[in-house]
Amino acid sequence: MVYNVYLLLVILLYCDAVLTENATTRRGISDLLTGYDKILRPNMEGPPVIVTTSIHINNFYSSTDKGMDYTTTIFLRTRWNDPRLQYNGAPNHTITLHSDGVKEVWVPPLFYPDEKSGHFHKLTTENILLRIYPDGTVLHSARFTIKLGCMMKLERYPMDEQTCNMEIESFTYTTDDLILQWAPEDDDLEALGVQEGISLPQFTFKDMEPDRSRTTRHYATGNFSYLIAKLRLRRQQEIFIMSAYVPSTLIVIVSWFSFWINPNCEPARVSLVMMALLTLCTQMNGIQAKAPNIAHMKASDVWMSSCLVFVFAALVEYAAVNFISLKIKMQNQNEQSLEMVNRAVSKNPSTESDFETSVSKSNQYDVICHVRPQRIDYYSRIVFPITFMVFNVFYWLIYLC
């Protein structure tokens, strides 16, 4: 019984202390903001406000080649000093404001030049935080999702690496009033951070670093401070290898099977090569529909076009084989005719001149038919695979190295 009374007394004393502290804090905030004008920047008549900036990527949703953009959720943290907000307190003591309270304090007006769309998060409450330290230092943190443009270089697509710039700029104040800077490397407020285990649908997050070399952008309305963060993304190639490179390679190999089919089996050879050609064209159109539309050739275009040339070359090879086969048939027919003429000449000398003309035509066919169709197919079985292998060596060396 005594223990319960003692416990109840401790709880009551603790609650009273908390309520007293909260009331004191509310009075302190009210007194601190008395006469405070949030429209005016700190040090209105003095040097520009130095705003230390930090970005933490919370999630990376997607990156699209067609739209040349990427979507990410970030924490934007800014820190500056406002002498008007100084108060007496322990060095580690802070006043924390949230939602409506943040609107009572001056906050640097910043914007993203490459923004396409974006929104703040409000579940279960508005994701905005502001802390005030005794020396007047203010820390502002906001969480939001934003879609930013990124001009991608796609000559090596899909073996490409992209560098996307995330820019932050002062919207209202020129460099005479506000200067942006990345948090120093030894600062607790990390300049750039990335959530562990972050993943992207098509890319691998390589690294992210601040560009500290450029700080001012010039407009007709003045010079404005800005910051750039460089995001490096490497495209995941496995999905393209399985969906594009492997199937197209198999189609090219299938077209070579026609070299083992008898040249006299015209329907079989033509059907096989034409099927490979049409299948490759269909696959090429499907890849083009998903790929970005750009004016120059991409690595995928070079590959698919080369595969198309190899399959078309197999069709041309059969055209040559078929042409020579027809010539051979005509030559055989002419030989039979010559034999009949020879017999007739031996009986009728007056036809000797006609016989000589037929012999000259036969000699022309002999010149054409020195190369047999079977020999062309034999060499094609060797030349086509070797040429394709050489092409692969140069292709992958150029685009992977």
Side-chain angles (χ1 to χ4, degrees), residues 354-372:
D354 295 335
F355 174 74
E356 292 177 353
T357 304
S358 300
V359 170
S360 64
K361 291 182 179 180
S362 175
N363 291 335
Q364 293 178 2
Y365 290 123
D366 288 338
V367 173
I368 295 175
C369 299
H370 280 319
V371 180
R372 296 293 176 178

Side-chain angles (χ1 to χ4, degrees), residues 181-193:
Q181 67 175 18
W182 289 114
E185 295 181 358
D186 57 349
D187 198 323
D188 294 337
L189 193 67
E190 186 181 11
L192 297 174

Side-chain angles (χ1 to χ4, degrees), residues 213-256:
S213 61
R214 293 175 287 180
T215 56
T216 304
R217 182 164 284 160
H218 306 283
Y219 295 100
T221 54
N223 300 329
F224 293 83
S225 181
Y226 80 107
L227 299 175
I228 295 180
K230 293 184 176 294
L231 288 74
R232 293 185 178 88
L233 309 174
R234 178 180 296 168
R235 194 181 300 275
Q236 297 179 6
Q237 303 168 7
E238 293 81 3
I239 184 174
F240 293 94
I241 291 176
M242 296 305 299
S243 63
Y245 287 94
V246 171
S248 57
T249 300
L250 294 177
I251 292 172
V252 172
I253 294 174
V254 166
S255 69
W256 300 340

Side-chain angles (χ1 to χ4, degrees), residues 133-165:
Y133 294 84
D135 62 350
T137 298
V138 182
L139 174 65
H140 180 269
S141 178
R143 178 175 175 265
F144 50 88
T145 297
I146 187 171
K147 179 187 286 187
L148 297 170
C150 176
M151 293 305 299
M152 299 182 180
K153 298 179 180 179
L154 298 168
E155 292 86 352
R156 304 175 70 89
Y157 174 91
M159 277 80 70
D160 55 326
E161 293 185 4
Q162 301 297 335
T163 299
C164 296
N165 292 337

Side-chain angles (χ1 to χ4, degrees), residues 24-93:
T24 303
T25 302
R26 286 194 296 270
R27 289 196 300 270
I29 295 174
S30 179
D31 295 339
L32 191 63
L33 296 179
T34 300
Y36 183 89
D37 190 352
K38 66 176 183 179
I39 298 177
L40 302 178
R41 71 168 179 87
N43 302 321
M44 188 61 192
E45 302 297 331
V49 182
I50 305 297
V51 179
T52 302
T53 307
S54 167
I55 291 177
H56 182 86
I57 294 183
N58 183 244
N59 207 336
F60 211 116
Y61 293 104
S62 64
S63 177
T64 61
D65 302 313
K66 284 185 174 294
M68 296 288 183
D69 54 36
Y70 63 98
T71 303
T72 179
T73 296
I74 66 174
F75 287 97
L76 175 62
R77 301 177 180 128
T78 51
R79 185 180 63 199
W80 66 94
N81 186 269
D82 192 340
R84 298 172 295 177
L85 298 177
Q86 294 178 357
Y87 64 93
N88 295 325
N92 59 349
H93 181 267

Side-chain angles (χ1 to χ4, degrees), residues 278-293:
L278 294 175
T279 304
L280 192 61
C281 290
T282 302
Q283 185 189 24
M284 191 173 181
N285 291 333
I287 294 174
Q288 288 292 340
K290 297 179 181 178
N293 297 322

Side-chain angles (χ1 to χ4, degrees), residues 5 7 29 46 49 67 71 113 121 151 153 155 164 218 224 249 259 274 287 296 300 302 332 340 342 363 381 395 400:
V5 173
L7 180 61
I29 295 174
V49 182
T71 303
H121 293 269
M151 293 305 299
K153 298 179 180 179
E155 292 86 352
C164 296
H218 306 283
F224 293 83
T249 300
F259 303 149
M274 287 302 299
I287 294 174
H296 48 265
S300 60
V302 174
N332 292 334
M340 295 175 63
N342 188 20
N363 291 335
R381 298 168 196 166
Y395 178 86
L400 287 182

Side-chain angles (χ1 to χ4, degrees), residues 268-384:
R269 292 192 66 159
V270 173
S271 299
L272 180 62
V273 179
M274 287 302 299
M275 180 189 67
L277 187 64
L278 294 175
T279 304
L280 192 61
C281 290
T282 302
Q283 185 189 24
M284 191 173 181
N285 291 333
I287 294 174
Q288 288 292 340
K290 297 179 181 178
N293 297 322
I294 55 178
H296 48 265
M297 291 279 289
K298 304 181 291 293
S300 60
D301 297 333
V302 174
W303 173 267
M304 296 304 299
S305 300
S306 300
C307 290
L308 195 65
V309 169
F310 274 99
V311 176
F312 183 76
L315 184 62
V316 172
E317 187 269 354
Y318 177 65
V321 168
N322 188 53
F323 174 79
I324 294 177
S325 297
L326 292 176
K327 291 298 183 182
I328 291 176
K329 291 180 181 179
M330 294 177 64
Q331 182 179 6
N332 292 334
Q333 293 176 358
N334 288 331
E335 288 178 352
Q336 294 176 0
S337 300
L338 287 175
E339 185 177 355
M340 295 175 63
V341 170
N342 188 20
R343 293 175 181 176
V345 168
S346 60
K347 297 179 180 180
N348 188 4
S350 62
T351 59
E352 184 175 359
S353 59
D354 295 335
F355 174 74
E356 292 177 353
T357 304
S358 300
V359 170
S360 64
K361 291 182 179 180
S362 175
N363 291 335
Q364 293 178 2
Y365 290 123
D366 288 338
V367 173
I368 295 175
C369 299
H370 280 319
V371 180
R372 296 293 176 178
Q374 293 79 4
R375 180 62 61 179
I376 296 177
D377 282 340
Y378 173 77
Y379 285 120
S380 297
R381 298 168 196 166
I382 301 173
V383 173
F384 273 71

